[in-house]
Amino acid sequence: MKLLVAIVVILAVGGNTLDIIPITEWAGSEINRKQELANPVNMVVIQHTASKDCYSDKLCLQTVNNIRGYVMKIGFDDIPYSFMVGGNGKVYEGAGWHRVGAHTKGYNDKAIGIGFIGTFVEKLPSPEALKAAQELIEYGVQNNHIAGDYKLFGHRQLSSTVSPGDALQKEIEGWPHWAKN
């Protein structure tokens, strides 16, 4: 079995630890998306993957690979999200900071799309996942990938969808930078 190596990013503010697993590690290949994403972006879009939840490294790895395989089978170039966050508190790179994803039609070239792994209509992601997403956004701001005055949206605010689910939408409405409109 291939050893999965995580890149650990230490955040300067608060000394938090954020595990970001590069796509080359979890998928074994580079992202197929080639269009450059101009940084910093002014928007962050929170979504859910509408898949099964995952809480262990093994299950999250299997889930993100299943999502990648499925979306490519139905015609996407590659994983649509910039990043995916597992219930294990780890972040899985998709299109990342520097490539345009396919997460929110009309906003892909203006936003980072963060997909929580699972379906969050009636329940919230794990506390570890919520913390990891917030640390990811903070890291993005600190490293000029996300503008300091960014706006945070739930996917449903920009597209006709239930994503990120009722429970997760209500949660992010209390996060810094959430934009009503």
Side-chain angles (χ1 to χ4, degrees), residues 1-179:
M1 180 174 194
K2 182 182 171 189
L3 179 64
L4 182 64
V5 179
I7 292 179
V8 179
V9 178
I10 306 297
L11 295 177
V13 177
N16 297 314
T17 302
L18 175 64
D19 292 337
I20 302 175
I21 309 202
I23 193 168
T24 54
E25 293 296 326
W26 67 260
S29 65
E30 295 285 339
I31 189 82
N32 291 321
R33 300 195 175 283
K34 302 300 178 207
Q35 185 179 353
E36 294 281 333
L37 180 64
N39 287 176
V41 296
N42 293 315
M43 299 173 67
V44 175
V45 182
I46 301 295
Q47 304 165 304
H48 67 192
T49 62
S51 64
K52 291 183 179 180
D53 304 357
C54 69
Y55 297 97
S56 70
D57 291 354
K58 182 179 179 181
L59 187 55
C60 287
L61 180 62
Q62 181 181 22
T63 303
V64 292
N65 275 290
N66 286 345
I67 292 168
R68 188 181 198 207
Y70 172 75
V71 298
M72 290 173 75
K73 183 178 179 180
I74 64 168
F76 282 80
D77 291 343
D78 211 318
I79 201 84
Y81 311 101
S82 304
F83 297 94
M84 294 167 289
V85 182
N88 60 353
K90 294 188 178 178
V91 176
Y92 298 84
E93 179 188 42
W97 302 116
H98 303 291
R99 300 278 183 243
V100 173
H103 49 82
T104 311
K105 188 175 182 176
Y107 298 93
N108 295 318
D109 61 348
K110 302 170 187 62
I112 293 293
I114 300 173
F116 282 84
I117 300 170
T119 302
F120 301 102
V121 174
E122 296 180 4
K123 64 179 181 181
L124 286 173
S126 72
E128 296 84 1
L130 293 169
K131 180 180 179 208
Q134 291 172 316
E135 289 177 356
L136 179 67
I137 294 167
E138 182 180 344
Y139 176 83
V141 170
Q142 289 176 356
N143 290 278
N144 205 37
H145 303 303
I146 300 172
D149 62 348
Y150 73 93
K151 303 284 188 234
L152 178 77
F153 297 92
H155 190 196
R156 66 175 54 184
Q157 294 175 258
L158 306 172
S159 296
S160 179
T161 180
V162 300
S163 178
D166 294 342
L168 184 51
Q169 178 68 35
K170 187 174 282 189
E171 168 71 18
I172 66 167
E173 288 176 8
W175 288 13
H177 297 267
W178 178 72

